[in-house]
Amino acid sequence: MQNSSQNIYQLTKENETLKSELEQLKEHNLKCNQIINIQKKALDFSHNTIVITDKNGVITWVNKSFTKLTGYTFEETIGQNPRILKSGKHSPEFYAKMWKTITSGKVWEGELINKKKNGKLYHEHITISPVFDSENNITNFVASKLDITNLRETNFALNESYIKYEELSYIFNQSPTIGFLWAVDKNYTVEFVTDNIKQFGYTPEEFYSQKLSFLDIIYKDDIEKVLTKISEKINSGKERLKLHYRIINKKEEIRWVDSHLYVRLGENDSVTHLQGVVLDVTEKKEAEIEAKYQLEQLMQADKMIALGTLVSGVAHEINNPNNFVILNAPIIKNIWENIEPILDEYYKEHGDFSVGNHLKYSKIKKSMPILLNGIHDGSQRIKTIVQDLKSFARKDTAGLNQEVNLNEVVKASANLTSNLISKSTDIFKVTYSKDPPIVKGNKQKLEQVLINLIENSCQALTNRKQAVKIDINKNCNWITIKVSDEGKGIKPGLIRKITDPFFTTKRNSGGTGLGLSITSKIITQHNGTLKFESEPNKGTTAILSIPITKKNKKI
């Protein structure tokens, strides 16, 4: 009986222990189920596609991302082999190698092109891992797959864009057009420039390192104009700008460029950058200047033809009465000399008397020879001026092959400008060369040069006490003519520009800026040089040098 009670007690105690263990197992199982549910939900909500198969590759579970991506339902998928997704884009050897890797217990990772239920292809990055039991036997395979279709398309588009960019960049850099992007700051810092900036001798690195800014390469006389125009355009709301200005290349040569720009806007629609292209148009500019020069020469030629016609007619009208004066002045002088003794005798006997228009003989006696000589000299001067004018206006057919005496050129030019000289100064002096200064060239064009230089000198004077001087010198190789004035002079910054086409300091008085440009061109055609020396308020000297004709050189 006692033994029976003990057995019952023992069984009761064991039963309570079992109940306790069972409760613990239930609680553990509940926690495991909770963890499994959490993991299942995590897998279901994962962006990656999750596929679980048994060791034979039969699908046992897929997450919601799989069904959403492929179009297959959960029920359609379970029990199937992943080959339902095969696209036909991979070889049997590819799949065999994959299967061999995972069945050997290794992880396989790579990319696949698979096919959705609707037949549309897509790209996946897949990691397949084997699952082992406690005895290290493979029980399942878990595949984590990431849809990379959009990434592949994006990469393909980026690659295509890069190829197009490279092609466009190559075309751009082979063209003369330079691309620029610069910030609208104090120095116009360059943030991008194409490689073909090298055509100006610069490199992109010089700008990126901020050793250079865009303002550094603009010709200094144009900087203010460029900045002003940019500011005006931006302030007026213009988004596109076109500018024409000069820059300095690495060799310090001046180049003309056209800029086509448009603005970039930042916060509050404020302009932060300018971007666009710069095109070297120097050759075009030079061609335009040459065309204008040729047009001016043609216009000058037309004027000379018209002047020649006019001068021929005027010369005829002037020469006829002037010849009458030249021929009769000596006769009148002889008559005066013959009757003068008779008038003197009468004066001694009867005293002073009136001679024509109530003039007293005592006064006219001394002035009459001077008057008669003046008539003779004046008529000769008229004859010389008419001859020089006819020569200057004659149609130019001689080219540059005439033997020209520069003494005569200066003398003729001074005669033709004598009226301007007499109105401008009381001091005009010419020092001629003692040896005949002979050069090969065109007399008419050289007269045009000297007339222009004399006119400029006279126009520079501010009072009649200031002098104009011409000095002709000859050495073994060159003949030099200096035309000097004591006028207002030229500012140092302008002296190098005065022979530039269309540059003039007399725009308000009708200057075209072509006089000295044409003068310089004529001297260049004669293989000579023309330079200027000047000091403000002290005067200017034009120095003209032309090589001597070989056969006239002294040996």
Side-chain angles (χ1 to χ4, degrees):
M1 188 73 181
Q2 186 177 0
N3 290 335
S4 176
S5 297
Q6 287 177 346
N7 290 334
I8 291 171
Y9 174 78
Q10 186 68 30
L11 288 171
T12 301
K13 189 174 181 179
E14 289 177 357
N15 185 48
E16 289 175 354
T17 300
L18 288 172
K19 283 182 179 180
S20 176
E21 290 177 353
L22 183 60
E23 288 297 325
Q24 289 176 358
L25 286 172
K26 286 181 178 180
E27 185 177 349
H28 178 72
N29 187 51
L30 180 62
K31 289 181 179 179
C32 287
N33 286 335
Q34 288 176 344
I35 292 171
I36 290 171
N37 285 333
I38 291 171
Q39 290 176 339
K40 182 177 179 298
K41 287 182 178 180
L43 291 175
D44 266 341
F45 287 106
S46 171
H47 183 69
N48 287 10
T49 298
I50 306 297
V51 177
I52 300 176
T53 71
D54 63 17
K55 65 180 181 179
N56 297 314
V58 178
I59 298 173
T60 58
W61 187 84
V62 294
N63 68 351
K64 291 181 179 179
S65 293
F66 177 89
T67 59
K68 182 178 179 181
L69 174 65
T70 64
Y72 290 103
T73 65
F74 184 87
E75 292 73 20
E76 289 175 320
T77 307
I78 302 304
Q80 297 288 340
N81 189 283
R83 69 173 60 95
I84 62 172
L85 303 174
K86 283 180 68 174
S87 63
K89 297 293 184 181
H90 303 286
S91 65
E93 291 79 13
F94 176 84
Y95 291 108
K97 187 175 180 180
M98 178 201 299
W99 183 250
K100 184 178 179 180
T101 299
I102 61 176
T103 55
S104 66
K106 298 178 181 177
V107 175
W108 184 91
E109 185 174 0
E111 291 185 9
L112 281 176
I113 301 174
N114 280 331
K115 184 169 63 175
K116 299 179 182 182
K117 184 178 180 180
N118 62 9
K120 187 176 180 181
L121 301 181
Y122 65 100
H123 293 261
E124 288 186 307
H125 182 85
I126 303 177
T127 302
I128 305 175
S129 301
V131 179
F132 301 93
D133 62 15
S134 59
E135 296 179 358
N136 208 31
N137 295 316
I138 295 174
T139 60
N140 298 91
F141 296 103
V142 177
S144 176
K145 307 195 289 182
L146 176 65
D147 182 8
I148 59 171
T149 305
N150 291 337
L151 179 63
R152 288 291 299 268
E153 290 175 351
T154 300
N155 287 339
F156 179 78
L158 285 173
N159 188 55
E160 286 291 302
S161 296
Y162 180 76
I163 292 172
K164 290 178 180 178
Y165 167 79
E166 286 292 306
E167 292 174 348
L168 183 61
S169 179
Y170 175 79
I171 293 170
F172 213 122
N173 286 322
Q174 297 304 309
S175 77
T177 305
I178 302 169
F180 265 103
L181 169 67
W182 58 84
V184 181
D185 55 20
K186 181 179 179 181
N187 295 318
Y188 280 66
T189 304
V190 174
E191 296 186 3
F192 173 78
V193 61
T194 49
D195 284 343
N196 57 349
I197 186 65
K198 294 173 182 176
Q199 66 183 273
F200 292 142
Y202 303 113
T203 63
E205 289 71 25
E206 289 178 282
F207 292 96
Y208 299 154
S209 64
Q210 296 190 11
K211 291 179 181 178
L212 287 174
S213 70
F214 190 72
L215 292 186
D216 291 330
I217 67 172
I218 298 179
Y219 183 55
K220 63 180 182 179
D221 290 352
D222 289 355
I223 291 176
E224 185 177 352
K225 178 186 72 175
V226 170
L227 293 180
T228 300
K229 285 191 175 181
I230 289 175
S231 178
E232 288 175 352
K233 295 283 187 181
I234 291 175
N235 292 335
S236 65
K238 302 279 184 170
E239 292 187 357
R240 295 185 179 273
L241 324 174
K242 182 179 179 182
L243 304 173
H244 182 63
Y245 53 93
R246 291 167 290 181
I247 69 165
I248 300 292
N249 66 15
K250 193 84 168 186
K251 295 179 180 179
E252 297 187 351
E253 299 168 333
I254 297 175
R255 307 294 295 178
W256 282 95
V257 298
D258 279 343
S259 276
H260 297 265
L261 313 172
Y262 65 91
V263 301
R264 275 191 179 183
L265 302 178
E267 294 181 0
N268 302 320
D269 289 335
S270 61
V271 177
T272 60
H273 293 78
L274 289 172
Q275 66 183 42
V277 295
V278 172
L279 178 64
D280 187 342
V281 294
T282 305
E283 284 72 22
K284 178 184 175 183
K285 186 75 174 181
E286 289 174 347
E288 289 176 353
I289 291 172
E290 181 64 22
K292 288 180 180 178
Y293 168 77
Q294 294 295 341
L295 178 61
E296 180 68 20
Q297 288 289 72
L298 288 173
M299 292 172 64
Q300 183 70 14
D302 287 343
K303 288 179 182 178
M304 295 303 291
I305 292 171
L307 181 60
T309 303
L310 177 64
V311 165
S312 295
V314 170
H316 177 74
E317 294 300 323
I318 292 176
N319 277 335
N320 283 341
N322 193 54
N323 286 336
F324 181 81
V325 174
I326 290 173
L327 291 173
N328 290 300
I331 297 174
I332 296 172
K333 185 178 180 181
N334 287 333
I335 292 172
W336 170 257
E337 290 173 350
N338 288 330
I339 67 171
E340 187 178 8
I342 300 170
L343 294 173
D344 281 342
E345 187 67 28
Y346 184 87
Y347 174 73
K348 291 175 182 178
E349 292 179 4
H350 299 91
D352 206 359
F353 58 93
S354 297
V355 180
N357 201 24
H358 308 294
L359 293 173
K360 296 296 183 180
Y361 174 72
S362 58
K363 292 184 178 181
I364 203 172
K365 173 178 170 60
K366 294 180 179 180
S367 60
M368 195 66 180
I370 298 172
L371 292 173
L372 292 173
N373 287 332
I375 292 171
H376 179 266
D377 292 344
S379 60
Q380 289 294 337
R381 180 171 174 76
I382 291 171
K383 180 180 179 182
T384 301
I385 290 174
V386 170
Q387 288 175 343
D388 289 341
L389 194 58
K390 287 174 68 178
S391 175
F392 181 73
R394 186 179 298 117
K395 185 177 180 181
D396 181 17
T397 59
L400 298 172
N401 296 314
Q402 293 175 309
E403 295 290 330
V404 182
N405 186 323
L406 292 183
N407 278 347
E408 294 177 0
V409 168
V410 171
K411 188 179 294 184
S413 301
N415 281 336
L416 290 172
T417 55
S418 60
N419 187 50
L420 176 62
I421 293 169
S422 64
K423 288 181 178 180
S424 304
T425 179
D426 293 331
I427 309 169
F428 179 75
K429 182 179 179 182
V430 180
T431 303
Y432 294 99
S433 172
K434 293 180 181 179
D435 294 326
I438 307 298
V439 298
K440 180 165 284 189
N442 185 299
K443 182 175 182 290
Q444 191 175 30
K445 287 186 176 181
L446 290 173
E447 285 177 356
Q448 183 181 350
V449 168
L450 265 297
I451 288 171
N452 191 37
L453 294 178
I454 293 170
E455 287 179 344
N456 285 344
S457 291
C458 289
Q459 291 166 359
L461 303 180
T462 58
N463 63 71
R464 297 185 58 83
K465 299 298 181 182
Q466 295 172 335
V468 174
K469 298 178 181 179
I470 303 176
D471 186 56
I472 309 167
N473 286 305
K474 177 181 178 182
N475 60 33
C476 58
N477 294 310
W478 296 83
I479 296 172
T480 301
I481 302 175
K482 293 183 179 181
V483 181
S484 305
D485 66 70
E486 297 175 350
K488 55 191 174 184
I490 303 170
K491 294 179 181 178
L494 302 179
I495 194 75
R496 56 190 172 83
K497 297 182 181 180
I498 58 177
T499 57
D500 289 351
F502 310 107
F503 175 83
T504 179
T505 58
K506 299 177 287 185
R507 186 77 65 189
N508 293 334
S509 58
T512 65
L514 283 169
L516 286 178
S517 175
I518 293 173
T519 294
S520 178
K521 189 111 178 176
I522 291 172
I523 297 304
T524 301
Q525 291 170 349
H526 284 77
N527 299 314
T529 62
L530 177 63
K531 61 182 182 178
F532 294 85
E533 296 175 353
S534 187
E535 190 173 346
N537 302 318
K538 290 192 176 181
T540 302
T541 299
I543 305 169
L544 185 161
S545 299
I546 300 176
I548 296 174
T549 304
K550 288 184 178 180
K551 69 179 183 179
N552 290 296
K553 287 184 180 180
K554 289 187 177 181
I555 300 174

